Amino acid sequence: VVWENSSDTVAISVRKVSGNVTSMVSPSFFRPALIARERNNTEDISAIVMELACNEIQKKRDSFTAASAITTLNLPSVLLRVVQKAEFAGIDLHSTSGKNGFEGIVHGGNRLDPMSLRVLAFTDMLSRAWQSNRDELVFEHDAILQEGGNRTKFEVKVTRLEENAIVVVVRDVSERYRRFEAEKRFVFETTARQKDAEANRFTRHEVKNGLLAAIEICGNIREQFSEDFNLLQKENEVSLVTEQSLKTRVEHISELDRTLHEVLDIVLAETMARDVIHEMYVPRMERVDVNYILTHTRGFTASHKQFS
């Protein structure tokens, strides 16, 4: 029951004296292709028997089966037989297979049918399994199992029973891999959001407070200049040089004040934009002095009329 109905694919693979490898594979890996080929009574299929030539086992295999790289000139030498339930008990992996052609390969131009794609992928996995001398081995293999389809990721576990016999268990881990990648993206985005939040807190409080303190100092200096200018004007002690000097100083202070306000606006806009992007922005009502804001927005022309 487990053999026929498990979502994992189990293969018992035996190497013969000739060097050829015969493998009995549970039907789960090939069932979608058998259904696509409209094979009758797919539920009565108990196994797929594959025989790989010795030279196929020895070929170096990549960790990705790409159908686009397969042509009629380099198709693997594989014999395939579909075993019904009534025949299952009589399977002998050590017997010599008949020389019937590999029925799965249907190559029309650059296209392979779904069964052929699955056989090619499983051939690559079996070859990689046999090329290791370890008693136990786990590796990953990627394959595209249908034309224009997405890449499927498999986890392959190999257990050596004896020198010339292994058991291979193939598990589709694509969904697990996608969840893992999604979790990694979530952790990355969460970490980035936390770092942005920390930077925002620092910018909003430390930088903003520093700018506000500098703006306040500029305001105090400007007010002091205005008071000195008005005092000299009342005492009729303002010379042309003194007036020009005071005007220049006020202009410099006003320019610095405008620059500080522009930087403050940029800082506040950036922090608010980050909060909006990360869905952390909370609108707050605040009472403001419109006259004060408009006065400082216009700036100063260093004219003594401002200070009267």
Side-chain angles (χ1 to χ4, degrees):
V1 176
V2 174
W3 171 272
E4 295 179 359
N5 298 314
S6 174
S7 59
D8 295 345
T9 301
V10 182
I12 301 173
S13 191
V14 174
R15 182 162 50 197
K16 301 178 183 179
V17 176
S18 63
N20 293 349
V21 171
T22 301
S23 305
M24 182 173 65
V25 186
S26 62
S28 60
F29 187 84
F30 298 101
R31 184 168 284 125
L34 293 171
I35 295 173
R37 294 180 66 183
E38 298 181 354
R39 178 180 287 271
N40 295 328
N41 300 323
T42 56
E43 295 301 323
D44 290 335
I45 296 175
S46 287
I48 307 293
V49 176
M50 300 172 58
E51 182 165 340
L52 281 70
C54 177
N55 63 325
E56 292 295 337
I57 294 297
Q58 296 171 354
K59 287 181 181 178
K60 181 176 176 57
R61 305 286 181 172
D62 294 328
S63 60
F64 173 51
T65 302
S68 58
I70 303 297
T71 67
T72 53
L73 299 178
N74 62 1
L75 285 174
S77 177
V78 182
L79 298 177
L80 183 75
R81 184 159 61 97
V82 178
V83 179
Q84 303 292 331
K85 289 183 178 180
E87 306 170 311
F88 184 73
I91 295 178
D92 183 2
L93 297 183
H94 293 279
S95 65
T96 303
S97 299
K99 297 302 180 182
N100 297 324
F102 172 38
E103 66 176 67
I105 290 291
V106 177
H107 201 291
N110 293 324
R111 295 182 62 84
L112 292 168
D113 77 331
M115 187 66 173
S116 303
L117 293 172
R118 289 180 178 268
V119 171
L120 293 174
F122 210 85
T123 299
D124 286 347
M125 288 186 274
L126 279 176
S127 299
R128 292 180 65 190
W130 274 106
Q131 288 169 12
S132 173
N133 295 321
R134 295 168 57 181
D135 292 336
E136 291 189 353
L137 174 69
V138 178
F139 62 86
E140 291 184 346
H141 190 89
D142 292 358
I144 296 178
L145 301 179
Q146 60 183 6
E147 290 286 346
N150 296 324
R151 180 179 293 209
T152 304
K153 183 175 288 291
F154 295 99
E155 180 185 80
V156 184
K157 182 175 181 180
V158 183
T159 303
R160 186 171 294 277
L161 300 180
E162 54 186 55
E163 183 180 357
N164 293 313
I166 61 174
V167 173
V168 180
V169 179
V170 178
R171 175 173 296 173
D172 185 344
V173 294
S174 301
E175 186 61 32
R176 185 177 72 186
Y177 183 78
R178 282 192 289 269
R179 286 200 302 268
F180 176 71
E181 288 298 315
E183 289 173 0
K184 281 204 308 185
R185 286 194 299 271
F186 174 76
V187 171
F188 176 79
E189 291 171 359
T190 301
T191 303
R193 188 179 295 112
Q194 290 174 346
K195 288 182 178 179
D196 270 352
E198 292 173 1
N200 271 5
R201 282 194 293 271
F202 175 81
T203 303
R204 187 180 293 112
H205 297 292
E206 303 300 329
V207 177
K208 184 184 74 172
N209 290 343
L211 287 171
L212 289 175
I215 290 171
E216 183 67 23
I217 292 173
C218 285
N220 293 336
I221 294 174
R222 184 172 52 219
E223 289 177 4
Q224 186 62 48
F225 275 134
S226 68
E227 291 175 1
D228 293 345
F229 184 82
N230 291 334
L231 181 61
L232 291 173
Q233 190 179 39
K234 289 178 182 179
E235 296 176 356
N236 296 320
E237 296 180 3
V238 181
S239 66
L240 181 61
V241 175
T242 303
E243 183 177 3
Q244 186 62 38
S245 175
L246 286 173
K247 285 183 178 180
T248 302
R249 292 178 185 179
V250 171
E251 287 177 355
H252 291 165
I253 293 297
S254 298
E255 180 64 27
L256 177 60
D257 182 73
R258 284 194 294 272
T259 302
L260 290 174
H261 274 89
E262 289 173 1
V263 174
L264 179 61
D265 291 340
I266 292 172
V267 168
L268 294 178
E270 287 290 333
T271 56
M272 185 176 70
R274 290 178 183 174
D275 284 346
V276 171
I277 290 173
H278 297 311
E279 299 180 354
M280 299 172 61
Y281 177 71
V282 179
R284 289 182 291 271
M285 300 295 292
E286 184 177 345
R287 186 179 296 276
V288 296
D289 186 342
V290 177
N291 183 57
Y292 177 82
I293 292 175
L294 293 177
T295 301
H296 284 73
T297 300
R298 289 198 305 270
F300 294 86
T301 59
S303 171
H304 67 273
K305 294 180 180 179
Q306 293 172 250
F307 309 118
S308 58

